[in-house]
PDB file of all heavy atoms in Angstrom:
ATOM      1  N   MET A 375      -1.305   2.368   6.831  1.00  0.00           N
ATOM      2  CA  MET A 375      -0.695   3.455   6.073  1.00  0.00           C
ATOM      3  C   MET A 375      -0.044   4.497   6.972  1.00  0.00           C
ATOM      4  O   MET A 375       0.658   5.384   6.477  1.00  0.00           O
ATOM      5  CB  MET A 375      -1.744   4.130   5.198  1.00  0.00           C
ATOM      6  CG  MET A 375      -2.233   3.280   4.046  1.00  0.00           C
ATOM      7  SD  MET A 375      -0.985   3.074   2.781  1.00  0.00           S
ATOM      8  CE  MET A 375      -0.911   4.727   2.126  1.00  0.00           C
ATOM      9  N   GLU A 376      -0.284   4.428   8.269  1.00  0.00           N
ATOM     10  CA  GLU A 376       0.264   5.452   9.169  1.00  0.00           C
ATOM     11  C   GLU A 376       1.786   5.484   9.121  1.00  0.00           C
ATOM     12  O   GLU A 376       2.393   6.560   9.121  1.00  0.00           O
ATOM     13  CB  GLU A 376      -0.222   5.201  10.594  1.00  0.00           C
ATOM     14  CG  GLU A 376      -1.713   5.489  10.781  1.00  0.00           C
ATOM     15  CD  GLU A 376      -2.190   5.187  12.188  1.00  0.00           C
ATOM     16  OE1 GLU A 376      -1.357   4.687  12.989  1.00  0.00           O
ATOM     17  OE2 GLU A 376      -3.363   5.434  12.486  1.00  0.00           O
ATOM     18  N   MET A 377       2.430   4.337   9.084  1.00  0.00           N
ATOM     19  CA  MET A 377       3.885   4.294   9.047  1.00  0.00           C
ATOM     20  C   MET A 377       4.444   4.824   7.719  1.00  0.00           C
ATOM     21  O   MET A 377       5.323   5.691   7.713  1.00  0.00           O
ATOM     22  CB  MET A 377       4.384   2.877   9.308  1.00  0.00           C
ATOM     23  CG  MET A 377       5.902   2.749   9.303  1.00  0.00           C
ATOM     24  SD  MET A 377       6.695   3.684  10.648  1.00  0.00           S
ATOM     25  CE  MET A 377       6.223   2.696  12.051  1.00  0.00           C
ATOM     26  N   PRO A 378       3.954   4.362   6.538  1.00  0.00           N
ATOM     27  CA  PRO A 378       4.457   4.927   5.287  1.00  0.00           C
ATOM     28  C   PRO A 378       4.181   6.419   5.139  1.00  0.00           C
ATOM     29  O   PRO A 378       4.953   7.136   4.497  1.00  0.00           O
ATOM     30  CB  PRO A 378       3.717   4.119   4.212  1.00  0.00           C
ATOM     31  CG  PRO A 378       3.326   2.859   4.883  1.00  0.00           C
ATOM     32  CD  PRO A 378       3.048   3.225   6.298  1.00  0.00           C
ATOM     33  N   LEU A 379       3.068   6.893   5.723  1.00  0.00           N
ATOM     34  CA  LEU A 379       2.716   8.301   5.596  1.00  0.00           C
ATOM     35  C   LEU A 379       3.417   9.184   6.616  1.00  0.00           C
ATOM     36  O   LEU A 379       3.369  10.409   6.503  1.00  0.00           O
ATOM     37  CB  LEU A 379       1.202   8.481   5.743  1.00  0.00           C
ATOM     38  CG  LEU A 379       0.340   8.023   4.566  1.00  0.00           C
ATOM     39  CD1 LEU A 379      -1.128   8.101   4.932  1.00  0.00           C
ATOM     40  CD2 LEU A 379       0.633   8.856   3.323  1.00  0.00           C
ATOM     41  N   TRP A 380       4.073   8.567   7.615  1.00  0.00           N
ATOM     42  CA  TRP A 380       4.689   9.354   8.681  1.00  0.00           C
ATOM     43  C   TRP A 380       5.707  10.355   8.161  1.00  0.00           C
ATOM     44  O   TRP A 380       5.668  11.532   8.562  1.00  0.00           O
ATOM     45  CB  TRP A 380       5.325   8.430   9.720  1.00  0.00           C
ATOM     46  CG  TRP A 380       5.957   9.179  10.850  1.00  0.00           C
ATOM     47  CD1 TRP A 380       5.360   9.680  11.964  1.00  0.00           C
ATOM     48  CD2 TRP A 380       7.349   9.548  10.955  1.00  0.00           C
ATOM     49  NE1 TRP A 380       6.266  10.326  12.768  1.00  0.00           N
ATOM     50  CE2 TRP A 380       7.494  10.261  12.169  1.00  0.00           C
ATOM     51  CE3 TRP A 380       8.460   9.347  10.142  1.00  0.00           C
ATOM     52  CZ2 TRP A 380       8.722  10.773  12.584  1.00  0.00           C
ATOM     53  CZ3 TRP A 380       9.690   9.848  10.559  1.00  0.00           C
ATOM     54  CH2 TRP A 380       9.813  10.544  11.766  1.00  0.00           C
ATOM     55  N   PRO A 381       6.643  10.003   7.256  1.00  0.00           N
ATOM     56  CA  PRO A 381       7.603  11.013   6.773  1.00  0.00           C
ATOM     57  C   PRO A 381       6.918  12.184   6.081  1.00  0.00           C
ATOM     58  O   PRO A 381       7.281  13.346   6.308  1.00  0.00           O
ATOM     59  CB  PRO A 381       8.484  10.222   5.797  1.00  0.00           C
ATOM     60  CG  PRO A 381       8.366   8.807   6.233  1.00  0.00           C
ATOM     61  CD  PRO A 381       6.956   8.662   6.706  1.00  0.00           C
ATOM     62  N   ALA A 382       5.917  11.879   5.223  1.00  0.00           N
ATOM     63  CA  ALA A 382       5.230  12.953   4.514  1.00  0.00           C
ATOM     64  C   ALA A 382       4.446  13.837   5.474  1.00  0.00           C
ATOM     65  O   ALA A 382       4.447  15.074   5.354  1.00  0.00           O
ATOM     66  CB  ALA A 382       4.294  12.367   3.454  1.00  0.00           C
ATOM     67  N   ARG A 383       3.792  13.224   6.446  1.00  0.00           N
ATOM     68  CA  ARG A 383       3.019  14.012   7.416  1.00  0.00           C
ATOM     69  C   ARG A 383       3.932  14.840   8.305  1.00  0.00           C
ATOM     70  O   ARG A 383       3.613  15.984   8.637  1.00  0.00           O
ATOM     71  CB  ARG A 383       2.155  13.081   8.267  1.00  0.00           C
ATOM     72  CG  ARG A 383       0.966  12.493   7.517  1.00  0.00           C
ATOM     73  CD  ARG A 383       0.226  11.466   8.340  1.00  0.00           C
ATOM     74  NE  ARG A 383      -1.009  11.053   7.683  1.00  0.00           N
ATOM     75  CZ  ARG A 383      -1.757  10.030   8.078  1.00  0.00           C
ATOM     76  NH1 ARG A 383      -1.382   9.327   9.145  1.00  0.00           N
ATOM     77  NH2 ARG A 383      -2.855   9.712   7.426  1.00  0.00           N
ATOM     78  N   THR A 384       5.076  14.284   8.681  1.00  0.00           N
ATOM     79  CA  THR A 384       6.033  15.031   9.488  1.00  0.00           C
ATOM     80  C   THR A 384       6.573  16.228   8.714  1.00  0.00           C
ATOM     81  O   THR A 384       6.679  17.336   9.245  1.00  0.00           O
ATOM     82  CB  THR A 384       7.195  14.123   9.918  1.00  0.00           C
ATOM     83  OG1 THR A 384       6.663  13.017  10.662  1.00  0.00           O
ATOM     84  CG2 THR A 384       8.178  14.876  10.790  1.00  0.00           C
ATOM     85  N   ALA A 385       6.930  15.989   7.447  1.00  0.00           N
ATOM     86  CA  ALA A 385       7.431  17.084   6.605  1.00  0.00           C
ATOM     87  C   ALA A 385       6.364  18.151   6.401  1.00  0.00           C
ATOM     88  O   ALA A 385       6.651  19.356   6.450  1.00  0.00           O
ATOM     89  CB  ALA A 385       7.894  16.531   5.257  1.00  0.00           C
ATOM     90  N   ALA A 386       5.111  17.711   6.195  1.00  0.00           N
ATOM     91  CA  ALA A 386       4.025  18.678   6.006  1.00  0.00           C
ATOM     92  C   ALA A 386       3.809  19.503   7.278  1.00  0.00           C
ATOM     93  O   ALA A 386       3.589  20.725   7.210  1.00  0.00           O
ATOM     94  CB  ALA A 386       2.736  17.945   5.627  1.00  0.00           C
ATOM     95  N   GLY A 387       3.877  18.850   8.437  1.00  0.00           N
ATOM     96  CA  GLY A 387       3.728  19.590   9.687  1.00  0.00           C
ATOM     97  C   GLY A 387       4.849  20.590   9.899  1.00  0.00           C
ATOM     98  O   GLY A 387       4.615  21.734  10.326  1.00  0.00           O
ATOM     99  N   PHE A 388       6.095  20.173   9.595  1.00  0.00           N
ATOM    100  CA  PHE A 388       7.232  21.080   9.735  1.00  0.00           C
ATOM    101  C   PHE A 388       7.098  22.275   8.796  1.00  0.00           C
ATOM    102  O   PHE A 388       7.335  23.432   9.201  1.00  0.00           O
ATOM    103  CB  PHE A 388       8.523  20.317   9.445  1.00  0.00           C
ATOM    104  CG  PHE A 388       9.758  21.178   9.472  1.00  0.00           C
ATOM    105  CD1 PHE A 388      10.292  21.633  10.665  1.00  0.00           C
ATOM    106  CD2 PHE A 388      10.389  21.536   8.284  1.00  0.00           C
ATOM    107  CE1 PHE A 388      11.421  22.427  10.697  1.00  0.00           C
ATOM    108  CE2 PHE A 388      11.519  22.335   8.294  1.00  0.00           C
ATOM    109  CZ  PHE A 388      12.048  22.778   9.506  1.00  0.00           C
ATOM    110  N   LEU A 389       6.720  22.004   7.541  1.00  0.00           N
ATOM    111  CA  LEU A 389       6.548  23.104   6.589  1.00  0.00           C
ATOM    112  C   LEU A 389       5.384  24.006   6.991  1.00  0.00           C
ATOM    113  O   LEU A 389       5.433  25.222   6.774  1.00  0.00           O
ATOM    114  CB  LEU A 389       6.319  22.545   5.179  1.00  0.00           C
ATOM    115  CG  LEU A 389       7.517  21.824   4.559  1.00  0.00           C
ATOM    116  CD1 LEU A 389       7.143  21.231   3.209  1.00  0.00           C
ATOM    117  CD2 LEU A 389       8.696  22.780   4.386  1.00  0.00           C
ATOM    118  N   GLY A 390       4.339  23.424   7.591  1.00  0.00           N
ATOM    119  CA  GLY A 390       3.226  24.246   8.067  1.00  0.00           C
ATOM    120  C   GLY A 390       3.663  25.186   9.178  1.00  0.00           C
ATOM    121  O   GLY A 390       3.263  26.353   9.217  1.00  0.00           O
TER     122      GLY A 390
END
Side-chain angles (χ1 to χ4, degrees):
M375 290 289 291
E376 290 178 356
M377 181 64 71
L379 287 173
W380 181 83
R383 287 174 172 170
T384 302
F388 176 74
L389 293 176

